[in-house]
Amino acid sequence: MKKTILPFVIAAMVLTGCDSKEQKKLNKQYISTAKANAVKYIEDKYGFTPEIRSAEQEREYGWINSDPLSTVYVRMNHNDRDFGVYIDGATDNTDGYDNYQCEDIADYFCSAISDITGKPVQLTLKGGMVQTSFDPIENECINMYSESFETSAPEKFFSSSRCSVLAEYVNTDISSIKKKDLPEYLFSEDNNNEITLVSYRDKDHVGLYDQSSMLPFHAECRTIISNNGTVHEDYSLGQAGDMSYYIRNEDSSAVTVREVVPDNGSEWNDEFFTAETASKAYSFKCDHDCEVNIFFPKSAIDPIAPNARGIHRELGICRGSGSSRSFDTYNLMDLNDEYEICSFNLNAHQEAYIVFLHLTNVKK
């Protein structure tokens, strides 16, 4: 955590030092007023007086400088619970947002979903309306709400608040869960809430949802429930040698996959590059058009020598056979440390095979 925040703290110290004497005086006034506003806001909303731990003024950052804003994040504590209030310090007011109840809201979400789907291994709540421009504050200004949450009247809170929740499971059937199964007030016209349920293949994958490019490799399925309805995706993973693959919302057996002997690298040569095969080759065939997504371990691809220059790694796809055969190469994006992650379109009844290539003398 220190390594992440420290550069921003240093930047803040440098850039705040550029404020004029008058501005520094005004900054202190903003913080002082915001602290008083935050205390009054909490007292009015919850009926207790919090302890102030610290306060940090928000700044809008440009390329070479920053401008101080009148909004402030006030860090507080009450009954061993740390929380924060985001509020303006330009005037006396109680128009703030806080995350004092974020754990209570998350627990309620968890219970509401668990009653239908079973208890998730992990639940992550994101919500509130605060957006900031200063990263150290932004990292804390999450799940902040102006509305008060009461377990006896959740519909009052959810009718106007914005929340999204990620519920992560392991080997759990979530395919039958629909919007109609959850309380109506979670999806009022005004709140735009969203609930995402993911079932992983293994408990070690829980928490990896943000690695969206690898999600079908980690997960069996995903269901997204929002005001727009329910979207469900299945990830049936197939395996062929070193490679894993899937076709969205279809059983992996819909595609016939086998290892083949790749064409000599010279078959791929054209006026723009010279090619050498760098991995095993796999043939794909399906009776209908589809998109194939593959996960190929980098350890199964011949490495490029550390001192080599001008060599590119690309995915080669050979389609058809005989005189109708064609060769295509696709640039790769380095999205993962362990796998090459690629996708390609497969035409009905047309066999295509893939192999990783090392291209030299590249002119394109």
Side-chain angles (χ1 to χ4, degrees), residues 26 48-49 59 76 171 174 181 228 233 257 325 361:
L26 188 58
F48 63 79
T49 301
R59 301 181 71 91
M76 296 181 156
N171 296 324
I174 58 174
D181 298 317
N228 297 324
E233 297 175 310
V257 185
R325 187 168 58 173
N361 303 318

Side-chain angles (χ1 to χ4, degrees), residues 238-258:
Q239 188 74 34
D242 300 311
M243 178 191 58
S244 300
Y245 64 92
Y246 83 98
I247 310 170
R248 192 179 304 275
N249 285 330
E250 288 193 45
D251 192 287
S252 59
S253 62
V255 171
T256 301
V257 185
R258 61 190 177 90

